[in-house]
Amino acid sequence: MKIFLKTEDEIELMRRANQLVGMTLGELAKHIKPGVTTLQLDRIAEEFIRDHGAIPTFKNFPNPFGGPFPASICTSVNDVVVHGIPSDKTVLREGDIVSIDCGTLLDGYNGDSCYTFAVGEVAEEVQRLLQTTKESLYKGIEQAVAGNHIGDIGAAVQEHCEQAGYGVVREVTGHGIGRQMHEDPPVPNYGQRGNGVLLKAGMCIAIEPMITMGDRRVWLDADRWAIRTRDGKPAAHFEHTVAIRRGKAEILSSFDKIESTSV
């Protein structure tokens, strides 16, 4: 395992890339409504990212199971946990949820963040899933400090979500991030406190709880990208990129633009 500690200059470049991701998700928030296709959202995102001098990292991202990813964002609707491919056939409907995962490459460094959006009014039980998943992200971030371990992050996410009766996906995880979108170490959403890689100041990681309303088990779709819940129940996904510090992690990405947007 090769873990790269970032300098302050590198963290500043990563902050810029991640702020652009937050701006892109904020722009998409204006368009998420019934009748919009996920392919329309993808085109908006790609244009916005390129207009700001960056490259959408996900486009043509390699897949160990098949062909490269064909789009600029992942749009995962309802029972799709992660890696949903935007399509003109996927039309958002009232009551849906859609997780939009976005990555940018700006001045040699990567940004990565995800937010699960409600389409119109969603059922109360779905809203609770979104709320709990988002809360678990910040529970994990609270543990992402120098001197703790990767297992402290996963344990915090797992405990919060399982206590609420939700499933914690095991097959996909968070990750280190920097010049590459995916670097060491893996950052699972489950674990034991005090176990795993020691966190050091200067590490940058993406923490991303992927939580299911029902059974935690998942399967890979025929497109070799989308990962779905086996029981067909909804899943939520929230992600921030953070820099490990002494005392408190610095969140490099942002949900501010998303949550200040009136849909």
Side-chain angles (χ1 to χ4, degrees):
M1 188 176 291
K2 189 175 289 187
I3 297 172
F4 300 98
L5 302 182
K6 276 69 177 181
T7 65
E8 288 302 319
D9 286 346
E10 289 176 308
I11 290 172
E12 174 58 29
L13 290 169
M14 291 191 62
R15 186 184 296 109
R16 293 178 192 172
N18 278 283
Q19 291 297 309
L20 177 56
V21 174
M23 290 167 57
T24 306
L25 292 173
E27 181 65 23
L28 292 173
K30 302 173 186 176
H31 300 275
I32 293 171
K33 58 188 176 183
V36 172
T37 70
T38 53
L39 186 61
Q40 286 175 294
L41 297 176
D42 180 68
R43 287 171 175 159
I44 291 165
E46 179 168 4
E47 182 177 5
F48 189 88
I49 291 166
R50 293 190 187 280
D51 282 352
H52 285 80
I55 296 168
T57 323
F58 295 176
K59 191 143 195 182
N60 297 316
F61 199 86
N63 182 356
F65 304 111
F69 194 75
S72 297
I73 54 174
C74 299
T75 52
S76 304
V77 180
N78 295 334
D79 65 321
V80 180
V81 183
V82 284
H83 305 158
I85 298 175
S87 168
D88 58 1
K89 296 182 176 63
T90 305
V91 182
L92 297 181
R93 299 173 299 176
E94 182 81 16
D96 283 346
I97 56 173
V98 56
S99 301
I100 300 185
D101 197 352
C102 179
T104 64
L105 179 65
L106 181 65
D107 296 329
Y109 286 85
N110 283 280
D112 189 12
S113 182
C114 180
Y115 196 92
T116 302
F117 296 87
V119 182
E121 294 293 322
V122 301
E124 187 177 328
E125 63 177 0
V126 174
Q127 190 59 53
R128 281 199 301 271
L129 171 67
L130 301 187
Q131 182 65 32
T132 302
T133 305
K134 187 176 165 192
E135 288 169 357
S136 77
L137 169 61
Y138 290 100
K139 297 276 186 187
I141 291 171
E142 285 174 7
Q143 299 299 316
V145 295
N148 275 4
H149 293 77
I150 286 290
D152 295 305
I153 298 171
V157 172
Q158 182 180 12
E159 289 164 10
H160 187 70
C161 293
E162 289 185 349
Q163 283 170 7
Y166 299 128
V168 179
V169 174
R170 306 290 203 272
E171 289 79 4
V172 275
T173 71
H175 49 89
I177 183 170
R179 285 189 173 275
Q180 302 298 320
M181 172 61 72
H182 292 150
E183 298 182 355
D184 287 330
V187 185
N189 294 304
Y190 62 95
Q192 294 184 328
R193 294 180 186 275
N195 282 10
V197 171
L198 177 68
L199 300 175
K200 297 180 180 180
M203 289 172 63
C204 291
I205 59 175
I207 301 173
E208 47 180 321
M210 290 159 271
I211 308 301
T212 64
M213 184 177 284
D215 194 303
R216 68 172 177 82
R217 291 178 298 172
V218 296
W219 58 279
L220 184 64
D221 207 339
D223 65 17
R224 314 302 287 171
W225 275 105
I227 294 175
R228 295 179 179 269
T229 60
R230 284 202 191 179
D231 59 13
K233 292 184 178 179
H237 178 200
F238 288 86
E239 175 184 18
H240 272 315
T241 293
V242 305
I244 304 298
R245 303 289 197 181
R246 294 179 180 86
K248 185 180 181 182
E250 179 184 356
I251 302 174
L252 301 178
S253 46
S254 173
F255 294 157
D256 291 350
K257 294 289 186 185
I258 300 166
E259 295 177 348
S260 65
T261 299
S262 298
V263 180

